[in-house]
Amino acid sequence: MFSKIEASELMRNEFDRLKGVCYLDHAGSALYADSQINNVMKDLKTHLYGNPHSSGKPSSACGELINSIRFKILKHFNTDPEKYSVVFTSGATGALKTIAECFAWNDRDDGHGTKNSNSRSWDSTFAYTADNHTSVLGMRELAPRTNILCLARDKAYKALDKGLSSSRHNDYPADSGNSLFAYPAQSNFAGTKYPLEWIETCQNGALNQYTDNRTKWYVVLDASTYVCTNHLDLGKYSPDFVVLSFYKMFGYPTGLGALLVRNGIGAAVLRRKKYFGGGTVEVALARDRHHVFRKKLHERLEDGTIDFLSVIAVGHGLDSLHRLAGPMRSVAGRTYRLATDLYRRMCGARHGNGTPVFRVYADTAYRCEDEQGGIVNFNVLRANGDHVGYNEVKNVVSARNIVIRVGCFCNPGACQTHLEHTNQDLKRNQQVVGHICGDHIDLIDGRPTGSVRASFGYQSTTLDVDKLYDTLIEHFWQNCPVTPVNRQLISMDAYNKMDLRVKRIFVYPIKSCGAFETNEWQLESYGFLYDRNWVVVSDTGVCMTQLEEPKLCLIRPYVDLQKGTMSLLYAENQEEVLMTVPLDTVCSGDKKKGKICWGGSVEGIDCGDEVATWLSLNLDRPGLRLVRCTGRNPPKVNKYGKLDAKVLGSNQCQYLLTTDSTLKWLHQEIENNLTEMSEDSVLFRFRGNIVVSGDDLPPRAELTWRKMVIGDVAFQTDSVCERCKIVNIDQDTSESHYKPLSVLAQHKWNGKTVYGIYLGREDTDAPCNIRVGQRCVVTGLVEDQ
């Protein structure tokens, strides 16, 4: 393992761009080194490389270099061109697709779409472990429709560890069917290393016991995760096919991988290729359906011109890996020990009441490097046993510059197994709840839909383990379970007796910028007059929010209706008005119409160069523009699929309402967590338009309101407001503190982290005002409280 001095020097010299970021997603993508990229650029600037399919010296030089890189790849895996061929693909997924398309499946089909019912051949089987990438599952659609075999972990070990058959490929009749088995050398979910001895056991026919046919078996080894931190010895093991992606090994280039094919046996069975293009054929006729594929395997399978400049970069990537990481066997040991350290700490962590802080998903006890890789997969638990949503964990660690990955990691089988979901559960989640891969839904009925993964690389050190573990303990450890809010069922009669009043009114003229507080304000069809009518746009035409630039909150707008202007102050210059913008911006001079990329196309008018320069200087971001929104195309669509053309810059609906009782409750909860924060600081973080108060109003009562009247204006609740990490940003300083979202998430409402409700005005055309002190009457409650 690197010493702290060696690791610090390595990070400073080769990965200085991280600037204190704790990177723990090495299974997602490796980090490219500075010297690696410099060497690639120097090579491309020094040498002239041409299309290897062309003639001339640049093309010949490129072709020779590519062949030498094929050899370098094989040498890295301790083999040579006599045993394996290297076929470049778009990545591991592309390699798996190539195998499935070209494999000689035998389903009584002669390979040209004609059924051969008189053949003695046995139908093929496609087998795979449940713990596999979705790209392996996708191969099923190109395999015979019958004879699909999914092996659970125990079933795979039972068959392949014992090796019940000793038959070899050449022991079968010539017309025996061909079957294919795919499994990962290392799970990308929990880091489990599966025995490489399974390769030979499977090739000897061990899986025939699970099929009705006696076929020849070929093995696909998905080495994508394994080769990131381990040495794959193809001199010792002989899978028929190996798939990998280079960015997972050394970060760059992306979009390029390889299919390693065992010459002879493996190459012979990839004979059902149909499509051809580029240089894959010796001859092809335009006027007759005739073509002849090339003899060399890589020339036959690499359709079109390969990404030859990226292939050249692979050579430098391998050089960088050898120079910086050292022997891959040593990398395997270092990453395993780091994962073991984190695993043991998490297993021993307990809340103050003795309940576990973490649930770790593992197939091993982290006792043997040959069985476990440098990955730890987990979820966080509260003191009462409830799961913390993985998005909350991601937001917390992200605020501390820690990079992890959350979700199911494109491995639905392992995720289902460890989270103990049934097939019916998963189908219901998609069909009824609407949960799909990669969305934001992390808990359904209190059960996690995914998990959190930390994965280590050769650059990782114990400092990374310390930072992740300490951050999680600091944020999620509890002395005892929190006391849930009493969800009092208040009757309409009780509400009729309450004296509810508007306490405060806020308008946000510029989206994601500071609030303008007023005692009375006019209502328009889209919401409060001028509310979120302006947006700050980046130099790429994208609307900016505090997620991208927290300092937006320091821009304080003040609207003067009599003068028809909006004055802008920056927090550090409170004594002087630095910029004034007319409320009714028109197209003239440098003020032009345009469209903004923001949840669809937003039409707007640019407010000119002067305010643009002011914004760029104060926020220290060149190229910013201030744009006034004039309409949305297509109209805003709310979460229920309803079109709402009368919303401009609001996230979802016209108004956001909160209550003073909920504010005081949350403020107290935050202080109970030993964090000093003023009540106004909490209020401003949640960026509501209307604050309602009432002496007898319990906390979070507003979440049960369906309809209400403020003064003479009728409103209807659109939905509760789900919260993200923006609420952690102090609107007075732009600094982030994790407690508000963390505390709020401990008090979920129907499984969601919410604060406040979205309101829509029932009659949007009638002109009217709302003022502080006006009476509020609740006129309807949601049915399910």
Side-chain angles (χ1 to χ4, degrees):
M1 189 176 293
F2 290 134
S3 69
K4 290 185 178 180
I5 295 177
E6 292 172 329
S8 175
E9 185 175 352
L10 175 67
M11 299 304 287
R12 183 172 61 253
N13 294 339
E14 295 287 355
F15 305 99
D16 186 56
R17 65 186 181 279
L18 292 179
K19 300 186 185 305
V21 171
C22 174
Y23 187 82
L24 293 175
D25 188 28
H26 292 272
S29 175
L31 295 172
Y32 54 82
D34 290 356
S35 61
Q36 172 189 348
I37 301 302
N38 292 337
N39 290 337
V40 172
M41 295 301 107
K42 181 180 178 181
D43 190 348
L44 297 183
K45 288 162 64 176
T46 304
H47 300 96
L48 178 61
Y49 296 116
N51 187 330
H53 288 171
S54 299
S55 57
K57 289 184 178 180
S59 299
S60 298
C62 184
E64 292 173 3
L65 181 56
I66 288 172
N67 286 332
S68 71
I69 291 172
R70 292 185 202 270
F71 179 81
K72 182 180 287 189
I73 292 169
L74 294 175
K75 185 178 179 182
H76 179 76
F77 297 118
N78 192 33
T79 188
D80 55 49
E82 292 294 319
K83 186 175 180 181
Y84 280 93
S85 294
V86 177
V87 179
F88 289 112
T89 66
S90 60
T93 295
L96 291 166
K97 185 170 181 281
T98 297
I99 296 170
E101 289 176 335
C102 300
F103 188 77
W105 304 108
N106 196 301
D107 53 354
R108 304 191 186 281
D109 187 321
D110 65 4
H112 299 283
T114 304
K115 297 295 180 181
N116 183 3
S117 59
N118 296 322
S119 172
R120 288 184 59 235
S121 60
W122 292 280
D123 289 351
S124 301
T125 296
F126 176 52
Y128 56 91
T129 54
D131 186 354
N132 249 315
H133 197 274
T134 50
S135 300
V136 171
L137 305 188
M139 297 174 73
R140 296 181 309 205
E141 306 310 307
L142 297 174
R145 293 187 178 275
T146 57
N147 301 334
I148 301 296
L149 178 62
C150 177
L151 296 171
R153 174 182 167 82
D154 292 345
K155 193 173 183 179
Y157 271 95
K158 180 179 178 181
L160 295 165
D161 270 3
K162 292 182 179 180
L164 299 179
S165 175
S166 60
S167 301
R168 306 289 298 185
H169 283 140
N170 55 11
D171 293 336
Y172 293 97
D175 61 351
S176 293
N178 302 311
S179 292
L180 191 62
F181 172 56
Y183 80 102
Q186 178 176 307
S187 169
N188 74 328
F189 185 90
T192 308
K193 292 182 183 178
Y194 290 98
L196 298 180
E197 289 77 14
W198 283 5
I199 297 167
E200 184 176 2
T201 307
C202 179
Q203 290 168 341
N204 291 345
L207 294 181
N208 276 329
Q209 62 182 300
Y210 293 128
T211 70
D212 296 329
N213 307 310
R214 186 168 176 268
T215 60
K216 291 179 283 190
W217 281 88
Y218 298 82
V219 176
V220 181
L221 186 70
D222 182 355
S224 303
T225 302
Y226 186 83
V227 296
C228 305
T229 54
N230 294 273
H231 174 59
L232 178 60
D233 188 348
L234 295 181
K236 181 177 181 181
Y237 303 102
S238 302
D240 300 289
F241 314 104
V242 180
V243 302
L244 53 92
S245 294
F246 292 113
Y247 75 94
K248 293 200 173 185
M249 296 176 64
F250 34 75
Y252 181 85
T254 59
L256 185 69
L259 165 61
L260 309 186
V261 182
R262 187 181 175 193
N263 293 329
I265 294 174
V269 81
L270 295 182
R271 61 175 181 265
R272 291 186 61 175
K273 179 176 169 64
K274 295 182 178 180
Y275 177 82
F276 62 89
T280 57
V281 292
E282 293 181 348
V283 62
L285 302 184
R287 299 182 180 181
D288 190 10
R289 190 170 182 175
H290 175 77
H291 67 276
V292 178
F293 281 110
R294 289 186 178 272
K295 300 298 185 295
K296 285 186 178 181
L297 185 67
H298 73 265
E299 293 179 347
R300 187 164 71 245
L301 296 181
E302 293 171 350
D303 291 307
T305 302
I306 62 173
D307 188 352
F308 54 90
L309 296 182
S310 290
V311 172
I312 292 170
V314 168
H316 294 289
L318 287 169
D319 291 341
S320 173
L321 187 64
H322 297 156
R323 177 170 49 85
L324 298 176
M328 294 306 294
R329 291 184 179 86
S330 299
V331 174
R334 294 200 301 269
T335 53
Y336 162 73
R337 288 189 290 273
L338 291 172
T340 300
D341 183 15
L342 180 59
Y343 168 80
R344 290 175 178 169
R345 293 195 207 184
M346 286 185 164
C347 288
R350 293 291 185 272
H351 289 291
N353 64 348
T355 60
V357 180
F358 303 98
R359 181 176 180 184
V360 182
Y361 304 110
D363 297 313
T364 76
Y366 287 72
R367 292 173 182 162
C368 178
E369 179 185 325
D370 293 336
E371 298 176 355
Q372 180 63 49
I375 291 176
V376 179
N377 196 304
F378 63 94
N379 269 318
V380 180
L381 303 174
R382 304 199 192 280
N384 64 359
D386 288 348
H387 284 86
V388 177
Y390 57 71
N391 283 321
E392 182 182 346
V393 178
K394 179 191 68 175
N395 292 336
V396 163
V397 300
S398 178
R400 293 293 184 91
N401 288 326
I402 302 172
V403 178
I404 44 86
R405 185 168 174 180
V406 299
C408 274
F409 324 105
C410 297
N411 191 331
C415 189
Q416 179 180 359
T417 298
H418 285 285
L419 299 183
E420 300 177 349
H421 289 297
T422 65
N423 288 346
Q424 290 72 23
D425 290 335
L426 299 178
K427 290 177 182 178
R428 173 187 172 275
N429 289 348
Q430 186 267 323
Q431 295 169 0
V432 179
V433 183
H435 171 53
I436 61 174
C437 294
D439 68 13
H440 70 286
I441 301 176
D442 50 15
L443 293 172
I444 297 178
D445 297 329
R447 299 179 63 189
T449 62
S451 56
V452 183
R453 184 185 72 186
S455 53
F456 299 93
Y458 73 83
Q459 306 93 333
S460 304
T461 70
T462 55
L463 295 177
D464 298 319
V465 177
D466 293 340
K467 185 169 184 178
L468 175 62
Y469 179 78
D470 292 346
T471 298
L472 293 172
I473 290 296
E474 178 186 350
H475 285 68
F476 296 110
W477 182 89
Q478 297 172 296
N479 187 45
C480 59
V482 297
T483 303
V485 177
N486 182 17
R487 298 177 66 165
Q488 301 177 37
L489 300 181
I490 304 173
S491 66
M492 286 303 306
D493 288 340
Y495 274 117
N496 290 335
K497 297 176 182 178
M498 284 187 186
D499 183 21
L500 304 181
R501 301 282 175 170
V502 175
K503 183 176 181 180
R504 301 178 80 169
I505 296 173
F506 297 97
V507 181
Y508 302 86
I510 307 176
K511 183 173 177 63
S512 248
C513 291
F516 167 60
E517 187 169 6
T518 180
N519 289 325
E520 183 175 355
W521 206 249
Q522 182 177 329
L523 277 62
E524 293 289 336
S525 60
Y526 54 80
F528 277 132
L529 176 65
Y530 299 124
D531 189 48
R532 297 173 176 90
N533 273 207
W534 288 265
V535 295
V536 178
V537 179
S538 71
D539 56 358
T540 59
V542 177
C543 170
M544 302 284 290
T545 72
Q546 290 183 33
L547 287 174
E548 294 84 29
E549 179 50 82
K551 288 191 294 183
L552 282 171
C553 68
L554 302 181
I555 295 175
R556 311 288 166 75
Y558 295 86
V559 177
D560 189 326
L561 294 179
Q562 291 185 340
K563 293 182 179 180
T565 60
M566 177 174 63
S567 301
L568 303 182
L569 303 180
Y570 192 68
E572 297 175 357
N573 302 285
Q574 291 284 356
E575 301 301 324
E576 182 180 359
V577 176
L578 295 180
M579 181 54 53
T580 301
V581 178
L583 293 175
D584 297 319
T585 304
V586 295
C587 292
S588 63
D590 62 346
K591 301 177 178 64
K592 301 176 182 178
K593 286 186 177 180
K595 293 191 176 182
I596 312 159
C597 179
W598 172 25
S601 178
V602 179
E603 298 175 352
I605 300 174
D606 189 287
C607 294
D609 294 337
E610 187 179 4
V611 67
T613 300
W614 183 84
L615 287 170
S616 297
L617 287 174
N618 278 289
L619 297 177
D620 195 24
R621 293 180 72 113
L624 298 180
R625 310 293 298 185
L626 183 66
V627 175
R628 184 182 178 192
C629 303
T630 57
R632 297 185 74 101
N633 185 24
K636 187 75 172 179
V637 180
N638 70 16
K639 66 185 294 183
Y640 303 106
K642 299 176 183 176
L643 294 178
D644 188 354
K646 297 181 178 179
V647 173
L648 287 178
S650 302
N651 283 344
Q652 183 169 314
C653 203
Q654 297 163 329
Y655 306 92
L656 178 57
L657 179 144
T658 64
T659 63
D660 193 48
S661 57
T662 300
L663 169 65
K664 293 182 182 302
W665 160 78
L666 182 59
H667 176 248
Q668 186 60 53
E669 287 293 321
I670 292 173
E671 291 205 330
N672 289 345
N673 278 264
L674 306 180
T675 301
E676 291 186 7
M677 191 175 294
S678 71
E679 195 171 286
D680 266 2
S681 177
V682 177
L683 171 66
F684 294 146
R685 293 165 188 262
F686 289 89
R687 302 177 61 80
N689 293 114
I690 303 168
V691 181
V692 172
S693 64
D695 291 340
D696 300 321
L697 189 64
R700 313 193 89 177
E702 68 275 17
L703 302 180
T704 68
W705 299 351
R706 183 170 58 87
K707 290 185 176 183
M708 69 180 304
V709 175
I710 302 177
D712 297 324
V713 185
F715 295 89
Q716 185 165 341
T717 299
D718 179 82
S719 70
V720 296
C721 179
E722 294 189 56
R723 293 303 184 162
C724 68
K725 63 181 181 180
I726 283 182
V727 303
N728 287 335
I729 300 173
D730 187 330
Q731 300 295 292
D732 287 328
T733 66
S734 77
E735 296 176 355
S736 184
H737 195 293
Y738 68 90
K739 276 297 182 184
L741 186 61
S742 177
V743 171
L744 187 62
Q746 297 175 35
H747 300 275
K748 291 189 181 293
W749 188 274
N750 295 333
K752 300 175 182 178
T753 303
V754 303
Y755 186 96
I757 55 175
Y758 285 119
L759 294 180
R761 185 178 161 203
E762 292 188 353
D763 180 4
T764 59
D765 296 323
C768 58
N769 285 15
I770 285 181
R771 66 179 183 274
V772 171
Q774 271 186 322
R775 184 144 188 247
C776 307
V777 179
V778 177
T779 58
L781 301 174
V782 295
E783 294 179 1
D784 180 16
Q785 296 188 38

